[in-house]
Amino acid sequence: MDALTRRRFLISSGVVGGGALAAGAGVLGFHELLKSGEKTRAGDAQEGLPTLVLVTLYGGNDGLNTVIPYADPAYHSARPELAYAPGQVLHLDDALGLNPVLRGMRRLWDDRKMAIVRGVGYPKPDRSHFKSMDIWQTASPGTPAPTGWVGRWLDATNAATETAVSFEPALPPMLVGKSRVGACVSYRGLTLPPGVPPAVVSALGRAEPCESEMQARAAASYADLITMNRVVQEAASGTDEHGHTGGSAVQATGTGGDNALVAQLALVARCVEFQVPTRVYSVSLGGFDTHAGERVWQETLLKNLDEALSGFVDRMGRTEAGRRVTVVVYSEFGRRVRANASDGTDHGTAGPMFVLGHDVAGGLYGEQPSLTDLDDGDLKATTDFRDVFGTVLASVLAGDPDRYLGGYRAQLLPLLVR
């Protein structure tokens, strides 16, 4: 295919997908990302550095029905229709248990590969989805901040583009610094117009002589579509080369994220296995704004989360690079203690965070919030979220938390054994 014909196709075909964005300045394609691991695999670059995967649960996950205080009478009295009976819960100890659909995460707990930090929040909590998420991602509860806490670390380390990568529809503020910014590589697969077979797209990815740099980048992005689409389709609709089963079809949500966590983590896993030098990955799962009919809907979401996380941690255990991966799971807030009249819960405050991986010192951290000593019907946070982020900054990213958390002096937690 000559360069002129290909250029016309690039402009007029209507092919869309995450890789096609690589033609734009400052955006990294999946194919380029995988190629960045060549130096590491060849032994020409530093290897063995730990990796952080941040999982955002958009919508405000109900922590009380995720890590359940099943032995507390106040839990059952505040939400009689939503509460789980003690016999339904996956017991962690004589007071707390996991939601019954979190069987994979319970197995990781038993293997000491999962830690639960209880009662996580921040002072003067905000119950707006977007304001609270901004606070978590900028690590600045007091005043608005123009940069994210990972972005500030990127600035200070003069990081390359591939150092932080989001496999989400949009780049989260967390990865934005003043002079450095993470890459956004959408996980969404290949959409072709009628009559355009994938083989044609593959041909478009071959280099052509005498073409400009921009045309070459645009063409390379179409080869990227093929690689991206194969990994996403493996994760979304079947069993991949490692034997992992896929998730459900992609569905967007109103408060951010969607339900394609399995697909996003499959891309992270491929990058880790290719020894891509990315230090921070951001992925997400949306839909947790459960104001009505919560129990069935939250169970569906938590099952999705459980399958994605347990499969990912298991897969990471098969390689040395994978065993250096730490996963942190958070949501912008928890829900109210008392159920509403629609068999749901409204916006609340504190909730649990999960930390998973082969270097994790599993167990319970922080104090369980009281269900009777409340702040206007909401839980009082017992752990500041910046203590968790500060811990992974220090232990995973070798950064000084005081530099990147807006002056907050984090109390580091013994979450990791490295």
Side-chain angles (χ1 to χ4, degrees), residues 178-396:
K178 287 183 178 179
S179 61
R180 292 289 184 271
V181 65
C184 184
V185 183
S186 175
Y187 58 85
R188 296 181 189 271
L190 184 67
T191 303
L192 291 171
V196 180
V200 172
V201 181
S202 296
L204 291 170
R206 290 196 290 268
E208 298 283 352
C210 303
E211 63 183 356
S212 70
E213 180 183 354
M214 186 61 72
Q215 285 177 309
R217 288 190 66 197
S221 73
Y222 281 79
D224 192 54
L225 284 171
I226 297 299
T227 305
M228 175 76 77
N229 188 63
R230 183 176 64 252
V231 177
V232 169
Q233 292 303 318
E234 285 173 353
S237 61
T239 302
D240 69 14
E241 60 192 271
H242 298 277
H244 300 114
T245 57
S248 56
V250 175
Q251 178 181 350
T253 72
T255 53
D258 52 38
N259 67 348
L261 185 58
V262 168
Q264 294 173 65
L265 286 176
L267 297 174
V268 174
R270 182 66 59 90
C271 290
V272 171
E273 290 160 356
F274 269 67
Q275 298 183 55
V276 170
T278 300
R279 301 293 308 284
V280 181
Y281 293 97
S282 178
V283 297
S284 62
L285 176 64
F288 287 92
D289 196 19
T290 50
H291 288 281
E294 175 183 309
R295 188 154 167 173
V296 172
W297 182 238
Q298 191 197 26
E299 284 187 1
T300 299
L301 291 168
L302 290 180
K303 185 176 182 181
N304 190 323
L305 178 68
D306 181 73
E307 292 173 351
L309 290 177
S310 59
F312 178 75
V313 173
D314 287 347
R315 180 170 174 177
M316 289 299 90
R318 298 188 176 102
T319 64
E320 183 179 349
R323 288 188 288 273
R324 293 189 292 269
V325 173
T326 300
V327 183
V328 175
V329 185
Y330 74 97
S331 191
E332 69 261 39
F333 46 62
R335 314 295 290 190
R336 300 277 284 181
V337 174
R338 188 165 295 280
N340 61 30
S342 301
D343 291 331
T345 51
D346 298 324
H347 300 179
T349 53
M353 290 180 70
F354 298 97
V355 183
L356 307 95
H358 293 261
D359 282 343
V360 169
L364 293 170
Y365 294 84
E367 181 183 347
Q368 181 67 18
S370 170
L371 295 183
T372 54
D373 180 18
L374 303 175
D375 180 10
D376 191 25
D378 281 320
L379 297 175
K380 295 179 179 178
T382 58
T383 304
D384 194 296
F385 75 91
R386 291 168 290 182
D387 294 339
V388 182
F389 287 166
T391 298
V392 295
L393 270 167
S395 298
V396 181

Side-chain angles (χ1 to χ4, degrees), residues 39 62 64 67 80 107-108 112-113 124 132 160 174 204 236 244 264 294 302-303 312 325 345 353 395 397 401-403:
K39 288 185 178 180
D62 182 8
L64 289 176
V67 179
R107 174 175 53 79
L108 294 176
R112 306 293 293 176
K113 296 174 185 172
K124 298 180 181 179
S132 189
M174 181 166 51
L204 291 170
H244 300 114
Q264 294 173 65
E294 175 183 309
L302 290 180
K303 185 176 182 181
F312 178 75
V325 173
T345 51
M353 290 180 70
S395 298
L397 301 181
D402 294 347
R403 274 185 86 180

Side-chain angles (χ1 to χ4, degrees), residues 150-173:
V150 175
R152 295 193 284 273
W153 174 78
L154 295 175
D155 285 341
T157 56
N158 199 26
T161 304
E162 66 270 14
T163 303
V165 172
S166 170
F167 285 121
E168 300 174 81
L171 186 71

